Amino acid sequence: MKTEHNEFRYVGERFADIQMLRYRLNGFERLSPRQKQLVYCLSQATLYGRDITFDQFGIYNLRIRKTLEAIYTDLRIDHESDDFKAMTVYLKRLWFSNGIHHHYGCEKFVPGFSEDFLRQAMHQVDAQRLPLASGQTVDGLADELVPVIFDPTVMPKRVNKADGEDLVTTSACNFYQGVTQQEAEAFYQTLRDNGGDEAPSFGLNTTLVKTDGQMKEKVWSASGLYANAIRHIVFWLEKAAEVAENDKQKRVIDLLIDYYKTGDLKRFDDYSIAWLQCLEGNVDFINGFIEVYGDPLGLKGTWEGLVEYVDEEATRRTQTISDNAQWFEDHSPVDPRFRKPVVRGVSARVICAAMLGGEEYPSTAIGINLPNADWIRARYGSKSITISNITDAYNKAAHGNGFKEEFVVDDETLSLIERYGDSCDDLHTDLHECLGHGSGQLLPGVSPDALKAYGNTIEEARADLFGLYYMADEKMVELGLLPDGEAYKAHYYTYMMNGLLTQLVRIERGHQIEEAHMRNRALIARWCLEHGADAMKLVKRDGKTYLQIDNYERLRQLVATLLAEVQRIKSEGSYDDARQLVERYGIKVDATLHDEVLARYERLGLAPYKGFINPRLIPVFDEMGEIADLYADYTEAYDHQMLRYSSEYATLV
């Protein structure tokens, strides 16, 4: 069958602080019919998890989404009114964030429409289209949702990490019910104390509830919580297993199905080990309760999905890195006690995303390293991916937008960034995911969760520092990963500029830094600034603040020193030192500098956040009803895609 293509545009709709982009399925037409069948089945399994993520991010999210979608699509309501237009923006933000809290800052959206408008509109639509509970009236539903939407004191933060507060009771995420932080930490500490060296990731796939004074976990499985959604996921995974590329791949899918059916975390570990060891085949996927950034305690996994296929040319770069993993570990500037004597199972691929879902949609990572369990990494290794068509879309959309010209200190540095920037960014992502997360080891008896709420930030800082340190090593040129010894300076500059200045555009006035990756970048850049006056400084020119780096070699020494300290904190499980480092360098924002950066950025007319509209994968069937081909349609509008997903992949009430 001939594969059709649409005219392609990277940049799509913009609203609020968000620019929607599209990603192209480069080389997709070269996949075999069987591989395309596999991609289709895995994509269906990815899209059926969407409602789970909405519910995990807030107990009212699904009901608010369904209510606003009913209003948005009702032609009897005045679509030209200011209230309706403001509600449209609110709904688009809700779709983007999988809930009513900002996807990055975690603060609750401020609605631009009125409470009266919402109540009147709810009465105008057909009541059967509203998510009414049994016996509930329209007014009853409005009374339930209005405070959640309009009252700034109700569920103000999805994930609260403020030091000294009860992080569980003050976070709106739906992982704990009737439980305090102290109770949750004590509950899981007891499980870990009795779990042994290869204990599963306790709490990863459950909601912890307290009823009548008793603590109990509700397991997310095909027969437990989220059962309907998970059964749909399992159905399509079973279809995928029938067209797997090889026996190892089929076993991976079968193990995941078994885990979904039982909810047994030991079976999830079996699946994770099989997945990281499955390197044959062109198609791969991530599907499940994986990353724990959405839980203030770093325990609960948010549901996510990703379907991918190999970018063979770019994978040669990551293969070079993984082939030399032991050399990198042996030459790391950390205490030898904290290095791995033998690096096992490090593998890395550059892939093209074919479908994004759950926490990976519409905003997605550009690199992933899994599994997260430290004991699996130590014994079996890890698998890393860098997503080439996502980074390509970012780069294409950013070309010529004036951002670098506004914030880079001089033409010489700008020329350096223009020459080396994109290749250095890709390499740092590879080093971060492939080696950084997989490097180092915990000392015997140290719990993987010892750093508690600071664990995610410290882990991301560790991986970033590892990548930064080796970016400047002559080994990069020797291996052909960088063209010369000057290239790394481009990334050092943009990384430190981001941590000190430009990532501030993602923070609202008066707010502090909340997200773990942003805290990590601020921590590194601010620590280096404070300890390296001879290496870099902030300078003023014409009333504008710029970063000036005077000594890149000295800056690398600072990176090495901080890497050694961060690895020590991780390896020893030193909570107090992690807390001190993150609180001092990673959180607070200078209000005057913040105002300046925001004003400069606002004049550029850019959106600080980017997200993606999925291609619509349309199957072509043969005479026997089997998928003979699959082509990507890139024309679907953002609102149409979101409404279609809400209709076709609705699984939770």
Side-chain angles (χ1 to χ4, degrees):
M1 286 287 194
K2 181 180 179 181
T3 301
E4 297 181 15
H5 294 284
N6 316 114
E7 183 182 356
F8 189 84
R9 295 183 177 90
Y10 284 99
V11 179
E13 179 180 356
R14 177 178 172 177
F15 54 90
D17 58 356
I18 294 164
Q19 178 75 65
M20 298 306 301
L21 306 176
R22 300 183 188 274
Y23 60 97
R24 192 180 185 93
L25 305 193
N26 302 316
F28 185 72
E29 67 279 358
R30 292 194 292 271
L31 297 182
S32 70
R34 186 181 182 92
Q35 288 170 332
K36 290 181 178 180
Q37 291 177 40
L38 179 59
V39 167
Y40 181 77
C41 295
L42 292 172
S43 295
Q44 292 292 98
T46 292
L47 295 175
Y48 268 112
R50 180 173 181 252
D51 279 2
I52 298 177
T53 307
F54 269 89
D55 190 74
Q56 289 180 315
F57 280 2
I59 195 168
Y60 295 101
N61 283 339
L62 283 171
R63 306 189 78 200
I64 293 173
R65 189 193 80 194
K66 293 176 181 181
T67 298
L68 297 186
E69 286 174 344
I71 296 170
Y72 181 72
T73 55
D74 196 304
L75 297 179
R76 291 170 293 183
I77 296 173
D78 181 8
H79 287 206
E80 298 303 316
S81 71
D82 290 341
D83 274 318
F84 184 88
K85 291 177 180 177
M87 187 212 72
T88 297
V89 173
Y90 184 93
L91 176 57
K92 290 180 178 181
R93 298 184 75 187
L94 181 152
W95 283 331
F96 189 90
S97 297
N98 293 296
I100 63 171
H101 297 85
H102 196 280
H103 74 289
Y104 220 73
C106 292
E107 66 273 4
K108 190 166 71 172
F109 301 141
V110 177
F113 56 98
S114 69
E115 176 183 335
D116 286 343
F117 165 80
L118 178 63
R119 289 183 179 275
Q120 293 172 11
M122 289 176 67
H123 277 284
Q124 285 182 267
V125 303
D126 184 348
Q128 293 184 351
R129 299 185 61 215
L130 295 173
L132 299 174
S134 178
Q136 189 177 42
T137 64
V138 174
D139 284 331
L141 176 63
D143 290 342
E144 184 179 16
L145 300 186
V146 160
V148 182
I149 296 173
F150 292 96
D151 188 339
T153 67
V154 176
M155 298 182 168
K157 298 279 293 186
R158 176 169 64 85
V159 182
N160 181 30
K161 294 186 177 181
D163 189 34
E165 298 185 15
D166 186 313
L167 304 186
V168 169
T169 59
T170 59
S171 294
C173 53
N174 189 22
F175 296 126
Y176 306 93
Q177 296 174 7
V179 179
T180 67
Q181 178 180 349
Q182 184 178 8
E183 289 171 332
E185 289 178 342
F187 180 86
Y188 288 112
Q189 187 59 53
T190 299
L191 293 180
R192 285 192 292 270
D193 288 343
N194 299 316
D197 293 337
E198 297 183 0
S201 301
F202 291 119
L204 185 70
N205 67 333
T206 64
T207 301
L208 182 63
V209 302
K210 185 170 71 172
T211 306
D212 298 327
Q214 299 296 312
M215 307 283 283
K216 181 181 179 181
E217 288 187 299
K218 293 184 177 179
V219 179
W220 309 331
S221 71
S223 58
L225 204 57
Y226 302 137
N228 190 45
I230 292 173
R231 284 196 291 266
H232 281 81
I233 294 169
V234 167
F235 173 86
W236 283 102
L237 288 175
E238 290 173 340
K239 294 289 187 183
E242 295 174 3
V243 291
E245 295 178 86
N246 52 65
D247 290 341
K248 280 189 176 182
Q249 196 178 70
K250 183 179 186 304
R251 181 171 180 270
V252 168
I253 298 172
D254 288 340
L255 285 169
L256 180 59
I257 291 170
D258 194 34
Y259 159 64
Y260 271 137
K261 288 182 176 180
T262 63
D264 185 344
L265 283 172
K266 291 184 178 179
R267 300 190 186 189
F268 177 70
D269 287 344
D270 292 338
Y271 152 76
S272 298
I273 294 167
W275 174 82
L276 74 88
Q277 293 177 333
C278 183
L279 304 177
E280 295 82 5
N282 203 14
V283 178
D284 204 353
F285 71 103
I286 295 169
N287 187 296
F289 307 105
I290 310 292
E291 302 291 359
V292 296
Y293 300 108
D295 173 12
L297 302 187
L299 300 173
K300 307 293 181 183
T302 302
W303 193 92
E304 66 179 72
L306 170 67
V307 185
E308 65 201 55
Y309 57 96
V310 175
D311 182 335
E312 294 182 358
E313 181 177 349
T315 293
R316 297 188 188 100
R317 181 183 71 240
T318 55
Q319 189 63 52
T320 299
I321 293 171
S322 59
D323 287 346
N324 288 273
Q326 190 66 59
W327 184 93
F328 287 104
E329 185 76 1
D330 292 343
H331 290 80
S332 173
V334 307
D335 190 312
R337 295 180 301 144
F338 308 142
R339 298 179 193 153
K340 287 179 177 175
V342 179
V343 178
R344 305 179 188 276
V346 174
S347 64
R349 287 179 168 183
V350 178
I351 60 94
C352 288
M355 189 62 62
L356 308 172
E359 191 177 26
E360 291 297 327
Y361 168 82
S363 177
T364 184
I366 58 173
I368 297 171
N369 176 272
L370 293 171
N372 286 327
D374 283 290
W375 74 266
I376 295 179
R377 290 175 179 273
R379 178 168 293 190
Y380 298 98
S382 62
K383 184 160 67 175
S384 301
I385 60 169
T386 304
I387 312 177
S388 63
N389 58 341
I390 294 297
T391 55
D392 183 56
Y394 279 129
N395 292 338
K396 291 287 198 308
H399 182 70
N401 65 10
F403 178 80
K404 294 174 185 175
E405 289 79 1
E406 173 61 36
F407 287 100
V408 174
V409 66
D410 54 39
D411 290 341
E412 181 181 354
T413 306
L414 183 61
S415 177
L416 190 74
I417 294 167
E418 290 293 337
R419 183 177 179 185
Y420 299 115
D422 289 351
S423 60
C424 283
D425 288 348
D426 290 342
L427 179 59
H428 186 252
T429 300
D430 294 340
L431 291 168
H432 173 112
E433 298 295 349
C434 180
L435 300 181
H437 281 308
S439 67
Q441 63 179 354
L442 301 178
L443 293 183
V446 173
S447 168
D449 302 314
L451 304 184
K452 300 180 181 178
Y454 299 102
N456 288 335
T457 298
I458 291 296
E459 175 58 24
E460 292 304 323
R462 195 176 68 89
D464 261 2
L465 287 162
F466 193 97
L468 286 168
Y469 176 75
Y470 279 114
M471 286 283 295
D473 199 286
E474 60 185 15
K475 190 75 170 179
M476 296 294 102
V477 180
E478 177 187 324
L479 294 175
L481 299 172
L482 287 179
D484 54 52
E486 292 290 298
Y488 81 93
K489 296 178 182 179
H491 191 72
Y492 268 37
Y493 189 89
T494 55
Y495 187 95
M496 297 298 170
M497 180 182 71
N498 190 28
L500 293 170
L501 298 173
T502 53
Q503 73 170 6
L504 293 176
V505 304
R506 296 184 167 197
I507 303 170
E508 292 189 17
R509 284 181 173 85
H511 288 214
Q512 295 186 338
I513 302 174
E514 299 282 351
E515 200 274 335
H517 296 80
M518 292 181 71
R519 285 184 169 187
N520 138 53
R521 292 189 288 268
L523 186 162
I524 292 172
R526 292 170 177 178
W527 188 95
C528 289
L529 183 70
E530 180 176 302
H531 291 80
D534 56 338
M536 67 183 198
K537 56 181 174 284
L538 294 178
V539 298
K540 281 277 192 179
R541 294 182 182 174
D542 300 323
K544 296 180 179 180
T545 305
Y546 297 93
L547 169 66
Q548 179 175 304
I549 298 180
D550 299 311
N551 191 328
Y552 284 91
E553 292 77 12
R554 169 63 177 147
L555 184 53
R556 191 197 184 204
Q557 294 172 6
L558 293 167
V559 167
T561 301
L562 184 56
L563 172 57
E565 173 62 4
V566 168
Q567 182 63 64
R568 181 195 66 78
I569 290 171
K570 171 84 173 182
S571 296
E572 295 179 349
S574 180
Y575 171 81
D576 289 339
D577 289 339
R579 176 180 176 274
Q580 182 178 5
L581 196 62
V582 176
E583 290 290 335
R584 180 170 180 176
Y585 297 104
I587 296 175
K588 296 179 178 62
V589 175
D590 181 288
T592 302
L593 180 61
H594 192 196
D595 284 342
E596 177 202 322
V597 170
L598 287 176
R600 292 165 65 183
Y601 188 79
E602 286 166 2
R603 286 194 289 270
L604 296 174
L606 304 175
Y609 298 99
K610 308 292 189 295
F612 292 90
I613 302 170
N614 279 327
R616 186 171 187 175
L617 299 182
I618 301 177
V620 178
F621 297 96
D622 61 19
E623 296 80 3
M624 303 297 293
E626 300 293 333
I627 296 176
D629 201 356
L630 192 67
Y631 72 92
D633 182 278
Y634 301 106
T635 62
E636 190 168 34
Y638 174 67
D639 61 344
H640 185 275
Q641 182 161 106
M642 290 297 182
L643 291 169
R644 180 170 66 84
Y645 285 0
S646 293
S647 174
E648 294 182 8
Y649 302 101
T651 55
L652 303 180
V653 176

